[in-house]
Amino acid sequence: MNRDLADYRKSYEKSFLEEKDLPDSPFALFFQWFKDVEEAGGVEEANAMTITTVGLDGFPKARVVLLKHFDEKGFVFYTNFDSEKGKAIESNNKVCISFFWANLERQVIIKGFAKKVSEEKSQQYFGSRPRGSQLGAWVSYQSKLIDSREVIEEELTALENKYKGKEIPKPPFWGGYCIIPSEFEFWQGRANRLHDRIRFSNKKNEWMISRLAP
């Protein structure tokens, strides 16, 4: 098998990013970019983000999860604490999340520290999920080896019967993480691969702005 992708090329020319237009806070810029992406359309899940952790085996691993809340405190997503990513975070809570929005030729990379949100917040979000997703959280022993798909389908059926007409409790091994940023990098595609890259670094609770070479 051999594929040459040298001819896969695109010229990025939709926008630019200049220092004179920057807010003091990277959160303000992220909020604006997220709004721009939503309003521009063409992205099915604007909240899809890649999170990279350092695994127990020492290798970094990236996967896509869904951002469920963000404010100036950080970026929140939910998962199984016993999953591979959960165990990685427990061992090393330094993580990186990134967003790529092709419709506006933009990327945001955020380094930070992950910590669990309150049990109350996890309970509140779990209660807002569809029943199928609530049951799925119980059935999915995330990252564990299973003999077949039939195993989890049978467990799902059993749980559907168990909780028929009843409230489904949140699993104790399931909840949210908030990623508290220490660095943002905003990437705006530009022509001739001379992209704009602006970095916000947190230095003693102040955001320092610098430009990186493309």
Side-chain angles (χ1 to χ4, degrees), residues 8-31:
Y8 271 48
R9 297 185 181 279
K10 176 181 177 178
S11 181
Y12 299 98
E13 300 178 0
K14 289 189 175 181
S15 190
F16 54 86
L17 187 59
E18 296 184 352
E19 285 83 349
K20 65 181 179 62
D21 300 321
L22 297 174
D24 293 332
S25 166
F27 293 99
L29 184 55
F30 182 89
F31 294 168

Side-chain angles (χ1 to χ4, degrees), residues 20 24 28 41 71-73 79 86 89 104 122 130 133 135 144 146 150 156-157 165 169 192 202 207-208:
K20 65 181 179 62
D24 293 332
D71 56 27
E72 292 193 350
K73 294 179 181 178
T79 190
I89 290 172
L104 294 182
S122 289
S133 296
L135 291 172
K144 301 289 194 304
I146 57 175
E150 285 71 25
L156 178 61
T157 298
N192 302 314
N202 193 322
W207 290 103
M208 310 301 292

Side-chain angles (χ1 to χ4, degrees), residues 1-2 4 29 32 36 78 93 140 151 162 169 173 177 205:
M1 185 181 294
N2 186 4
D4 186 351
L29 184 55
Q32 183 59 56
D36 291 345
Y78 294 85
N93 74 333
S140 176
V151 171
K162 178 180 179 179
F173 52 80
Y177 287 103
N205 294 321

Side-chain angles (χ1 to χ4, degrees), residues 120-134:
E120 180 184 5
K121 189 166 186 177
S122 289
Q123 289 277 7
Q124 183 179 19
Y125 173 69
F126 186 82
S128 73
R129 303 181 92 200
R131 286 183 67 85
S133 296
Q134 291 178 338

Side-chain angles (χ1 to χ4, degrees), residues 26 44 58 81 85 100 114 116-117 125 132 136 138 165 175 192 199 210:
E44 212 166 289
F81 294 142
K85 78 176 81 65
F100 178 61
K116 290 180 180 178
V117 304
Y125 173 69
W138 277 101
N192 302 314
R199 180 172 62 195
S210 54

Side-chain angles (χ1 to χ4, degrees), residues 152-171:
I152 57 176
E153 289 178 342
E154 288 172 3
E155 289 193 27
L156 178 61
T157 298
L159 283 172
E160 287 173 339
N161 293 330
K162 178 180 179 179
Y163 290 110
K164 188 173 182 179
K166 300 177 183 177
E167 182 178 341
I168 303 168
K170 182 188 76 65

Side-chain angles (χ1 to χ4, degrees), residues 26-210:
F27 293 99
L29 184 55
F30 182 89
F31 294 168
Q32 183 59 56
W33 273 26
F34 195 89
K35 181 181 177 182
D36 291 345
V37 169
E38 289 182 309
E39 292 178 349
V43 174
E44 212 166 289
E45 291 182 303
N47 62 325
M49 67 181 187
T50 300
I51 179 167
T52 302
T53 57
V54 178
L56 301 183
D57 59 1
F59 283 89
K61 184 172 182 178
R63 76 286 278 167
V64 176
V65 299
L66 296 178
L67 176 67
K68 289 299 179 180
H69 178 82
F70 62 91
D71 56 27
E72 292 193 350
K73 294 179 181 178
F75 299 80
V76 176
F77 74 99
Y78 294 85
T79 190
N80 185 319
F81 294 142
D82 293 333
S83 65
E84 190 175 358
K85 78 176 81 65
K87 290 180 178 178
I89 290 172
E90 184 179 359
S91 174
N92 181 352
N93 74 333
K94 292 179 180 179
V95 301
C96 182
I97 57 175
S98 64
F99 302 81
F100 178 61
W101 297 310
N103 63 335
L104 294 182
E105 300 170 351
R106 289 175 176 175
Q107 179 177 204
V108 183
I109 302 171
I110 302 169
K111 294 179 183 178
F113 302 88
K115 71 171 188 177
K116 290 180 180 178
V117 304
S118 68
E119 180 67 10
E120 180 184 5
K121 189 166 186 177
S122 289
Q123 289 277 7
Q124 183 179 19
Y125 173 69
F126 186 82
S128 73
R129 303 181 92 200
R131 286 183 67 85
S133 296
Q134 291 178 338
L135 291 172
W138 277 101
V139 172
S140 176
Y141 306 112
Q142 209 171 95
S143 304
K144 301 289 194 304
L145 293 174
I146 57 175
D147 292 332
S148 67
R149 182 175 178 84
E150 285 71 25
V151 171
I152 57 176
E153 289 178 342
E154 288 172 3
E155 289 193 27
L156 178 61
T157 298
L159 283 172
E160 287 173 339
N161 293 330
K162 178 180 179 179
Y163 290 110
K164 188 173 182 179
K166 300 177 183 177
E167 182 178 341
I168 303 168
K170 182 188 76 65
F173 52 80
W174 187 96
Y177 287 103
C178 180
I179 297 166
I180 303 166
S182 60
E183 181 181 296
F184 288 74
E185 181 186 324
F186 294 87
W187 179 97
Q188 175 65 63
R190 297 294 300 271
N192 302 314
R193 296 296 187 266
L194 297 180
H195 311 303
D196 288 326
R197 294 175 62 193
I198 298 294
R199 180 172 62 195
F200 285 77
S201 300
N202 193 322
K203 305 294 184 183
K204 297 182 179 179
N205 294 321
E206 288 189 19
W207 290 103
M208 310 301 292
I209 300 174
S210 54

